[in-house]
Amino acid sequence: KTINNLLEQYSLLTEDQKHKITNYEKLIKAVNKIKELKQNEIDKAEALKMDEIINTLPDSITLDDEQEVLRIKEIYDKLTVNQKIKVSNYSKLKKALETIEHIKKQNETLEKVIKAIEELPKEITMQDEGKVHHADALYIVLDEEYQKRVPNYDKLAQALDIIRSFDVAVKNVVSKIDSISSDLTLEDK
């Protein structure tokens, strides 16, 4: 209030009188400091509101929460840098966003796994090894909860067993070839 009174008194002075005020900069610094303090209080209040909004998020995020999480993120994005700095529970919002993204990726990978397994032929041959390993690689990156949702996993498990048996047969032949002596005779035929 004192600062505002001084500003008002200063504005009533003539230009000649204003030039004689040698400490006007101090008044301006005080005005700016008060503006800064007021803005700081506004920022704190906005950050507190944001904290309260973030606290409405459930602890366990599902895909059903996506719209609400995105709405809250949109509100957060509108805050100033100083207000964002004062938000104490941004990590909860960040985790919710990451969870939504993770769920989406898991669902997308789940669909790819199911399709890759469906596309495996009924009779697995060595030529199908790449397809089988591709389906398995997709399956492995799924969280355990999502692995349980793969309805056709048995088909993949059987295909993997067949590919492994091919590997054993190949290793057996390689081992036998390695055992051939370098001193061959006609009897070794």
Side-chain angles (χ1 to χ4, degrees), residues 3-131:
I3 302 296
N4 285 340
N5 286 340
L6 285 172
L7 279 173
E8 191 176 315
Q9 288 175 18
Y10 179 82
S11 69
L12 297 175
L13 296 175
T14 65
E15 285 304 313
D16 225 16
Q17 290 172 321
K18 286 179 182 178
H19 285 293
K20 292 179 182 174
I21 305 291
T22 57
N23 57 354
Y24 178 70
E25 278 187 32
K26 186 175 182 180
L27 176 61
I28 295 304
K29 283 182 183 178
V31 167
N32 289 336
K33 183 64 178 180
I34 288 174
K35 283 181 185 177
E36 182 183 318
L37 292 170
K38 282 181 182 178
Q39 187 60 51
N40 192 38
E41 289 303 309
I42 292 169
D43 291 348
K44 282 181 186 176
E46 289 300 313
L48 186 60
K49 282 184 207 172
M50 190 73 241
D51 281 332
E52 289 170 3
I53 292 169
I54 291 172
N55 281 334
T56 65
L57 288 172
D59 291 330
S60 183
I61 299 292
T62 68
L63 210 49
D64 292 338
D65 301 311
E66 180 179 20
Q67 293 306 314
E68 182 63 7
V69 170
L70 293 176
R71 183 187 75 78
I72 291 172
K73 173 73 165 96
E74 206 173 281
I75 295 169
Y76 176 82
D77 288 342
K78 291 178 184 176
L79 296 177
T80 66
V81 173
N82 286 334
Q83 291 167 347
K84 287 177 181 177
I85 290 169
K86 290 173 178 40
V87 174
S88 64
N89 62 354
Y90 173 72
S91 61
K92 183 174 182 177
L93 176 59
K94 183 179 178 187
K95 186 174 187 251
L97 288 163
E98 289 168 352
T99 300
I100 294 290
E101 194 58 35
H102 180 74
I103 291 170
K104 285 179 162 183
K105 285 182 181 176
Q106 288 289 297
N107 284 333
E108 186 180 300
T109 303
L110 177 63
E111 289 176 25
K112 288 178 182 179
V113 169
I114 293 169
K115 185 177 181 202
I117 295 171
E118 284 174 359
E119 291 175 353
L120 293 176
K122 288 183 181 183
E123 298 294 322
I124 301 294
T125 66
M126 274 304 283
Q127 288 76 21
D128 301 314
E129 181 179 17
K131 292 177 187 176

Side-chain angles (χ1 to χ4, degrees), residues 163-174:
I163 293 298
R164 286 184 195 114
S165 70
F166 290 150
D167 288 344
V168 169
V170 168
K171 286 177 185 175
N172 191 17
V173 171
V174 167

Side-chain angles (χ1 to χ4, degrees), residues 127-143:
Q127 288 76 21
D128 301 314
E129 181 179 17
K131 292 177 187 176
V132 172
H133 285 305
H134 173 71
D136 188 45
L138 289 171
Y139 176 80
I140 288 171
V141 298
L142 287 174
D143 292 346

